[in-house]
Amino acid sequence: MNILSIQSHVAYGHVGNASATFPMQRLGHEVWAVNTVQFSNHTGYGAWRGTVFPADAIREIVTGIDERGALPSCDGVLSGYMGDAAIGDAILEAVARVKTANPRALYCCDPVIGDVGRGVFVRPGIPEFMRDRAVPAADVVTPNQFELEQLAGFSVGSLGAAVAAARMLRSRGPETVLVTSLQTPETPDDAIELLAVDGQGAFRLRTPLLPVSVNGAGDAIAALFFVHLLTTGSAAEALSRAGSSVYGLLKATAEAGSREILTVAAQDEFVRPSRIFTPEPV
Ligand SMILES: Nc1ncnc2c1ncn2[C@@H]1O[C@H](COP(=O)(O)OP(=O)(O)O)[C@@H](O)[C@H]1O
Ligand SMILES: Cc1ncc(COP(=O)(O)O)c(C=O)c1O
Ligand SMILES: [Mg+2]
């Protein structure tokens, strides 16, 4: 597979493309990484340095790839942290160019807006852009529970409500919805869940809750889920593989007591997860 991945880059640590690129490469895929920002580190530290690129900088890189004649061989576009709402237009233009060149290519949008702990952590305009423009253009969306609520417009206090919210997003365009970090009153205290919903049905994958609070796991799981979906065609299989890999990655991270995910040290988890979790239909 050839994946055009348009998201943030950090020099230190692993979020955005610095989380997503290597796992896809480790699975044997080519990644055309286009960076929306270059920061020293992720924003979860509260302080960072660097640059949000202008939307035209992203257009330039995509135009250059197009000029190499590569877009017909692009299998999928993955987008994540944008930095600025104007970058959204450049991302959707890139999706349109890829789909013109290869009508079979899919667009996976990780609608990075915020999370339960930090609330909204992106610039004004981005949540609205994700809801009104990116979700309708996407084939796959990968919100966490907080983002699912923002996009659907109602709170998700049960598994049933999460399935309903995912189905509402599907009705706006995307065939497949992956909900990450789902915790409802039905979730055991020592567990965390993923939920995949497509035209076939809904699947839940439950794993132990690890004593970590990290950034970048969402970016890794979106990338892994997307490439496994592209290669297997099965949301349930992609859920099992991506969820098992990220569990192994975070277990190693917890054991090391690291604040950054161990993307490099735990790389075998992307290929052969130590423990395989199986989704159940819900
Ligand atoms: N503390 C944790 N214990 C176990 N798994 C976790 C934990 N935090 C995250 N994960 C896994 O990583 C996935 C992505 O989570 P998360 O980092 O919360 O996404 P995002 O950063 O986009 O909010 C979760 O769905 C879950 O499978
Ligand atoms: C620069 C940057 N990119 C991406 C993300 C998203 O990371 P996550 O995978 O935790 O949603 C963050 C979160 O803090 C970030 O600061
Ligand atoms: Mg995320």
Side-chain angles (χ1 to χ4, degrees), residues 110-114 121 142 144 147 180 218-219:
D110 183 12
V112 178
I113 296 171
F121 59 60
T142 60
N144 62 33
E147 291 157 349
T180 67
D219 306 323

Side-chain angles (χ1 to χ4, degrees), residues 6 34-37 52-65 82 84-91 93-94 97:
I6 311 178
V34 179
N35 300 329
T36 55
V37 312
V52 176
F53 295 126
D56 278 346
I58 285 116
R59 288 190 181 94
E60 269 291 292
I61 302 296
V62 175
T63 297
I65 297 172
M82 296 197 320
D84 190 73
I87 290 172
D89 289 312
I91 291 172
E93 287 164 32
R97 286 171 88 155

